[in-house]
Amino acid sequence: GDGSLSDGLAQSGHLHGLGHRSLSSSAVSQSWLCRALPARTKGKLFFNGYYVDNTYCGASVLNTSSKSVVVTAAHCVYKSRNGWAKNAVFVPDYDRTQPDPDPVGVWTARSIRTFDSWRADQIDYSNDVAFVTLNEGGDENKPLVDTVGGHGLAWGGSYIFRATIFGYPTNKTNPDGRGTIYSCVSTATKEKEGKVQTEGCDFSFGASGGPWLYRYNESTGLGYVRSVTLQWWLRDGANFGPYFTERVKAMLDATAGD
């Protein structure tokens, strides 16, 4: 999509973004000044505590003033029948094939934020976005971004963009997608007003909430979250996500007080 990305608030252009951060050996700094990161800005959001067989969704870390926010799908954290998700725990770079599946530890949720319109009907999937603010945690009891870095946020602009998608899809078996994060590169296009779609990734149940990263840099593991996975179409393997607008950015800004 056309437009610009900035390291601060949205400026000129049709596409806007908040800058991402990476880690140096001593402190958090701008991504282009720092060493490369492993894929620890993406991970698994467990519900009802951190147990291997618990329900889960994908989530990814955002560079915010609190250094403590992950973005996921709203249907992962709120349903009218059950209310808010309980005892959510985020595990960056969760990988059950490794001796230590949580290499930098776990972070517990402090608060969850969705659109009021999502909680009202859960029908309009353009509202299927949520932010989870986490307590300090991990093996070193630090804010999340200080440990793993953080993505930027992108919103507005064209519905068509190159997306690198991450998630834990249950239909992937070698290795088991429930225990290892998968990635796929595709082109997002407009499905209808407020929604984007990709073809070819075929990420099934379990991939919900995983990020669609724009301008993803493989060497740093960072990019700009421009959507999240919310649906999967079995017939042709298409995936769908909400089109991020100024409303998403405004909700992210509101997390500063959470």
Side-chain angles (χ1 to χ4, degrees):
D2 56 347
S4 62
L5 291 168
S6 71
D7 293 316
L9 296 177
Q11 297 178 3
S12 62
H14 301 292
L15 172 72
H16 307 292
L18 298 174
H20 51 219
R21 287 190 183 273
S22 178
L23 301 179
S24 68
S25 57
S26 58
V28 177
S29 58
Q30 294 297 324
S31 62
W32 51 84
L33 298 176
C34 304
R35 64 178 174 82
L37 283 173
R40 290 181 177 165
T41 46
K42 289 82 66 177
K44 200 169 183 180
L45 189 64
F46 288 86
F47 305 110
N48 300 310
Y50 178 32
Y51 300 100
V52 65
D53 292 326
N54 279 11
T55 56
Y56 69 87
C57 277
S60 57
V61 186
L62 292 173
N63 175 36
T64 65
S65 59
S66 72
K67 303 181 180 181
S68 300
V69 177
V70 296
V71 59
T72 188
H75 74 261
C76 294
V77 297
Y78 184 86
K79 295 181 176 66
S80 57
R81 181 178 60 187
N82 302 319
W84 294 101
K86 306 294 192 299
N87 299 321
V89 173
F90 181 66
V91 184
D93 200 24
Y94 178 78
D95 190 343
R96 215 158 60 205
T97 68
Q98 300 301 311
D100 183 1
D102 50 271
V104 291
V106 302
W107 278 257
T108 58
R110 181 166 75 241
S111 63
I112 303 173
R113 195 175 272 272
T114 67
F115 289 118
D116 293 342
S117 50
W118 173 258
R119 297 195 303 276
D121 60 31
Q122 289 128 70
I123 294 173
D124 184 352
Y125 283 93
S126 67
N127 296 317
D128 195 353
V129 186
F131 296 110
V132 181
T133 300
L134 306 168
N135 296 305
E136 292 187 0
D139 294 340
E140 299 181 355
N141 197 35
K142 291 182 177 181
L144 183 59
V145 170
D146 283 350
T147 302
V148 301
H151 298 294
L153 182 78
W155 66 94
S158 173
Y159 277 73
I160 302 172
F161 60 94
R162 178 183 170 90
T164 304
I165 301 173
F166 289 85
Y168 291 88
T170 58
N171 64 332
K172 307 299 183 183
T173 59
N174 189 25
D176 185 352
R178 294 172 297 178
T180 301
I181 197 165
Y182 273 75
S183 66
C184 175
V185 178
S186 185
T187 298
T189 59
K190 185 174 183 177
E191 193 262 335
K192 65 178 184 179
E193 193 66 29
K195 282 179 67 179
V196 288
Q197 69 177 31
T198 61
E199 297 180 355
C201 291
D202 192 26
F203 278 10
S204 74
F205 308 110
S208 289
W212 294 23
L213 292 171
Y214 173 66
R215 293 187 181 175
Y216 179 68
N217 185 319
E218 291 186 2
S219 66
T220 64
L222 295 173
Y224 294 85
V225 182
R226 201 163 168 180
S227 186
V228 295
T229 299
L230 59 86
Q231 289 174 313
W232 167 63
W233 190 242
L234 174 62
R235 186 173 63 189
D236 59 9
N239 288 107
F240 303 89
Y243 172 76
F244 282 9
T245 65
E246 283 277 358
R247 294 176 63 239
V248 175
K249 192 265 182 182
M251 182 166 62
L252 177 62
D253 288 347
T255 67
D258 291 347

